[in-house]
Amino acid sequence: QCSSGFEFNFNKLIVDSRLNQKHFNPARQLASLYIVLKVRVVMATFSQPPGVPSPIMQVVRQPPPPQPRRCQVHSEAARMPVPSVYDPYPPDPPADVPIPKRVNPLRPQPPERMTCVTETGDPHYQNQQRLAMLERKQFHRFHNAWSRYYYGSVAEKELHNRYFREGLKQQMRDSDEKNRRVFREKAQESSVAFSRDRQDIESEQVQRASKHQFLTQYRDANKMMMEEKAQRLRAERQRELQFDREQLKYNPINWSCSLK
């Protein structure tokens, strides 16, 4: 039913089409329907008094529904704490019921004493109940961890995804910090190696200079020693020749055979 009071019965149209299947043309029926609806709309528009919009225009001019400013799911998930990636996963929640301590059946609590007739049924039962509570706690711990993603609320699913995103970011930050630390260590090691190499080169230069100075002094000392020896031998030879000449003055026979 339109705003102008026009009514169209599709069931009647289908029944009429089944009765007159030979003369039924869907395209012609739809064209006729479109023309009738358009005429009704025009009549309803001009039938309103001036200054009053038609019901169809009122429907068209309705403002769109307001869009949410921010997703409430992400805001709730952002407020929920995210466990650290280095903590045990899933985190160990506190027990709903306090878990009793394990007791030793062979050492009853005072004032009772262990005798040959002491029964240990109650301590063993307490230990069995404690074990069942611990197993139930571990089961709920892991079950709630993996079922939160499949059967939890949207906020819990977002928290689950956020945990892995934060874990990946933390691993990337740790890897980056590790690479930076390795780079700093290698740079420091390289600087130490360069400084040590420079010190070795400088010490080698000093040693080479000292060795060159020592060898120069040794050479000069040997040269001086050789010159002194040669001068001494020359002086001794001259003295021998002088002595032989003096002997020839008194004895013409050259008994020493130094003069030839």
Side-chain angles (χ1 to χ4, degrees):
Q1 183 176 359
C2 299
S3 60
S4 60
F6 175 73
E7 297 182 358
F8 186 80
N9 194 346
F10 286 94
N11 296 327
K12 184 178 179 181
L13 179 60
I14 294 173
V15 173
D16 295 341
S17 63
R18 288 179 179 177
L19 294 176
N20 303 322
Q21 291 182 358
K22 295 181 180 181
H23 305 285
F24 178 72
N25 190 351
R28 183 179 298 175
Q29 293 290 339
L30 291 176
S32 303
L33 177 61
Y34 174 74
I35 294 172
V36 172
L37 288 176
K38 191 172 183 180
V39 171
R40 293 293 185 179
V41 169
V42 173
M43 292 175 61
T45 303
F46 287 99
S47 62
Q48 296 292 335
V52 180
S54 64
I56 298 178
M57 298 301 294
Q58 292 179 2
V59 174
V60 173
R61 291 179 182 177
Q62 288 182 357
Q67 299 294 333
R69 297 182 179 178
R70 186 178 179 183
C71 184
Q72 299 295 334
V73 174
H74 293 279
S75 61
E76 293 179 4
R79 288 193 298 267
M80 300 177 68
V82 179
S84 175
V85 69
Y86 297 109
D87 293 339
Y89 183 81
D92 192 7
D96 300 336
V97 180
I99 299 177
K101 296 183 179 180
R102 186 179 182 278
V103 296
N104 189 359
L106 301 180
R107 290 185 179 180
Q109 297 294 331
E112 298 181 1
R113 300 178 58 184
M114 187 65 184
T115 60
C116 58
V117 296
T118 302
E119 297 183 358
T120 58
D122 294 338
H124 282 298
Y125 178 75
Q126 181 177 349
N127 291 337
Q128 290 179 359
Q129 293 296 323
R130 176 179 178 275
L131 179 60
M133 294 173 66
L134 291 175
E135 290 179 351
R136 191 180 303 108
K137 179 182 176 183
Q138 290 296 105
F139 171 77
H140 287 296
R141 171 189 174 189
F142 288 94
H143 177 76
N144 295 335
W146 70 261
S147 63
R148 186 182 298 113
Y149 180 76
Y150 297 98
Y151 306 108
S153 61
V154 181
E156 292 178 348
K157 294 180 180 180
E158 178 61 25
L159 179 63
H160 186 272
N161 296 333
R162 185 186 171 198
Y163 168 76
F164 287 101
R165 287 198 303 269
E166 294 296 333
L168 180 59
K169 292 179 182 178
Q170 183 66 32
Q171 291 177 357
M172 294 171 65
R173 287 193 294 268
D174 295 342
S175 178
D176 188 19
E177 182 63 25
K178 179 182 177 182
N179 295 335
R180 291 176 182 272
R181 185 176 66 255
V182 171
F183 178 77
R184 288 195 299 268
E185 292 177 356
K186 288 185 178 180
Q188 184 178 3
E189 183 179 357
S190 300
S191 63
V192 171
F194 289 155
S195 61
R196 186 173 300 174
D197 190 14
R198 190 181 302 107
Q199 292 176 1
D200 294 342
I201 293 174
E202 292 177 357
S203 63
E204 186 179 356
Q205 291 178 354
V206 172
Q207 291 177 3
R208 189 177 299 174
S210 62
K211 183 179 180 181
H212 181 267
Q213 184 178 2
F214 171 76
L215 292 177
T216 303
Q217 294 176 358
Y218 186 79
R219 181 201 62 186
D220 296 341
N222 287 340
K223 186 177 180 180
M224 187 180 300
M225 188 183 300
M226 292 171 65
E227 290 177 354
E228 291 176 356
K229 183 180 180 180
Q231 187 176 2
R232 186 175 65 253
L233 290 177
R234 192 181 302 110
E236 290 179 359
R237 181 63 178 169
Q238 289 179 359
R239 284 195 300 270
E240 289 178 359
L241 293 176
Q242 185 69 23
F243 179 74
D244 290 341
R245 287 191 185 93
E246 291 292 334
Q247 283 185 347
L248 286 175
K249 290 180 182 179
Y250 303 101
N251 188 6
I253 300 173
N254 188 11
W255 298 100
S256 63
C257 299
S258 57
L259 299 176
K260 294 183 181 179

